[in-house]
Amino acid sequence: MKVNIVSLTCCAGCVSSFLNAGDALLEILSQDFDIVYSPTFVDLKEVPQVDLAIVEGGVRTEADEKLIREVRAKSRILVALGICATHGGITSLGNIISVKKLLEKEYFVLETSKLPELEDLMYPICNFVDVDYYIPGCPPMPFLIVHSLKSIVSGKTPTRHQSVVCTECNRKIIAAKLDRLYGIYDKEADPNLCLVSQGFVCLGSLTREGCGAPCPRAGFTCFGCRGPTDSLLYRSRDLYSFLVKVISKRTSIPEEEVKKELYRNPFIFHTFIFSKFERFKARERII
Ligand code: SF4
Ligand code: SF4
Ligand code: SF4
């Protein structure tokens, strides 16, 4: 199968994650993929016609928009890889200030005339083109990328992950009695108990499973990089109140107190809400 691997505005972490798949990567490269275009692998400037395009990153520049439209027109199947491509992701944090302020703040040492023309906001690619499969994550885990791509190349629908990260986390959920929330470095976490039951703000109960819960298993809170799970997909306004209820239930802290604590850290939801995305055409395409 002929494959294009395309990078729009991003950190290139998703393609790096794909490269980390080890033997599974070698297998897919030797048996299934003929990569004909990729800034990482191949020195080719023109975008060729292919069976499959894998796209990381979102649309922040006019060049991104032109490229994604061309890539779509020249691909039979298009896969959005990583939460920048699927939802806007961490790169859409820039959406909270104007383009003018963004350039003044981050690029004051450069001549802005030498920078690419920017769109008004950072957008996920589904705002511009039809997407066949979305594999969210920042970055998606190597095994998830390889399993999903293997299914796609063999003509099967990849396994969907419809539940939440809590189902992959071995920590025990209890209704604790706490009087405040904690930052992850404020105290040592018990290795067996749910982090929310210990007063940490973990987004596992809102977030699509499929990553294997590496963060809470290692003692860090889930920051939601797989995006909202199916039941919360089209209800972004409910994410906040849902999280407030979960935290209040697992800590016994009154909901009003939880709200005040969360309000102090609006970046908790950056991977969910700062991008400007249109509705996914079909949730069945989210892996
Ligand atoms: S989703 Fe994360 S890892 Fe992938 S390109 Fe965006 S910022 Fe980088
Ligand atoms: S909230 Fe976090 S720590 Fe608690 S069970 Fe869910 S994923 Fe695990
Ligand atoms: S546990 Fe959460 S933050 Fe960590 S990889 Fe999974 S979805 Fe992403």
Side-chain angles (χ1 to χ4, degrees):
M1 181 178 266
K2 288 202 183 310
V3 179
N4 288 338
I5 300 180
V6 180
S7 300
L8 305 177
T9 295
C10 65
C11 77
C14 290
V15 170
S16 303
S17 182
F18 181 37
L19 289 177
N20 273 337
D23 288 348
L25 172 72
L26 293 178
E27 191 188 314
I28 205 168
L29 288 179
S30 61
Q31 294 178 9
D32 306 300
F33 275 17
D34 176 12
I35 299 174
V36 289
Y37 173 93
S38 159
T40 314
F41 296 106
V42 185
D43 186 14
L44 181 72
K45 304 288 180 279
E46 297 296 316
V47 177
Q49 195 84 36
V50 288
D51 305 295
L52 170 67
I54 302 164
V55 181
E56 69 168 349
V59 176
R60 180 78 237 208
T61 66
E62 290 181 10
D64 287 336
E65 185 182 341
K66 190 165 168 272
L67 181 57
I68 191 59
R69 289 190 191 283
E70 182 180 3
V71 166
R72 174 69 274 188
K74 292 181 173 174
S75 325
R76 191 165 57 81
I77 307 168
L78 190 145
V79 175
L81 181 65
I83 202 158
C84 290
T86 61
H87 297 66
I90 199 164
T91 36
S92 60
L93 276 174
N95 289 358
I96 59 176
I97 54 176
S98 69
V99 171
K100 185 168 175 289
K101 282 204 176 125
L102 188 68
L103 292 174
E104 283 167 4
K105 187 165 181 284
E106 302 296 340
Y107 294 96
F108 60 93
V109 290
L110 291 176
E111 270 186 59
T112 50
S113 61
K114 293 190 178 153
L115 290 171
E117 285 297 321
L118 295 178
E119 301 271 355
D120 57 338
L121 294 169
M122 171 80 179
Y123 296 98
I125 62 176
C126 63
N127 285 36
F128 300 90
V129 296
D130 196 29
V131 174
D132 295 294
Y133 295 105
Y134 304 87
I135 309 177
C138 183
M141 303 301 278
F143 64 84
L144 179 67
I145 301 175
V146 170
H147 284 167
S148 307
L149 293 178
K150 285 283 275 180
S151 299
I152 292 167
V153 293
S154 55
K156 296 183 202 140
T157 303
T159 306
R160 294 201 62 230
H161 300 89
Q162 301 173 54
S163 190
V164 291
V165 172
C166 294
T167 61
E168 298 182 313
C169 169
N170 286 335
R171 290 172 176 271
K172 188 173 177 204
I173 298 169
I174 58 162
K177 295 240 175 294
L178 303 177
D179 52 13
R180 56 166 285 213
L181 296 181
Y182 296 89
I184 196 67
Y185 297 113
D186 288 349
K187 64 174 185 179
E188 197 164 329
D190 181 300
N192 301 312
L193 280 185
C194 166
L195 294 166
V196 174
S197 301
Q198 301 180 60
F200 302 111
V201 180
C202 178
L203 301 191
S205 58
L206 314 174
T207 304
R208 186 177 301 279
E209 45 140 1
C211 58
C215 307
R217 280 171 184 264
F220 288 94
T221 47
C222 168
F223 63 94
C225 84
R226 291 264 299 142
T229 190
D230 270 10
S231 59
L232 290 163
L233 196 58
Y234 300 126
R235 297 161 49 203
S236 53
R237 287 202 188 95
D238 292 350
L239 288 170
Y240 183 78
S241 45
F242 185 84
L243 182 65
V244 168
K245 280 191 197 327
V246 168
I247 294 177
S248 179
K249 212 166 166 188
R250 293 185 195 178
T251 60
S252 307
I253 302 171
E255 290 187 16
E256 279 313 307
E257 290 300 312
V258 174
K259 273 186 201 167
K260 272 192 225 155
E261 295 255 7
L262 292 185
Y263 193 73
R264 284 192 214 123
N265 187 1
F267 295 105
I268 284 171
F269 287 113
H270 67 76
T271 48
F272 289 157
I273 60 167
F274 283 150
S275 73
K276 179 104 178 154
F277 72 80
E278 290 170 3
R279 290 164 63 97
F280 292 105
K281 306 286 185 298
R283 72 174 60 177
E284 290 69 31
R285 299 179 188 180
I286 305 172
I287 305 307

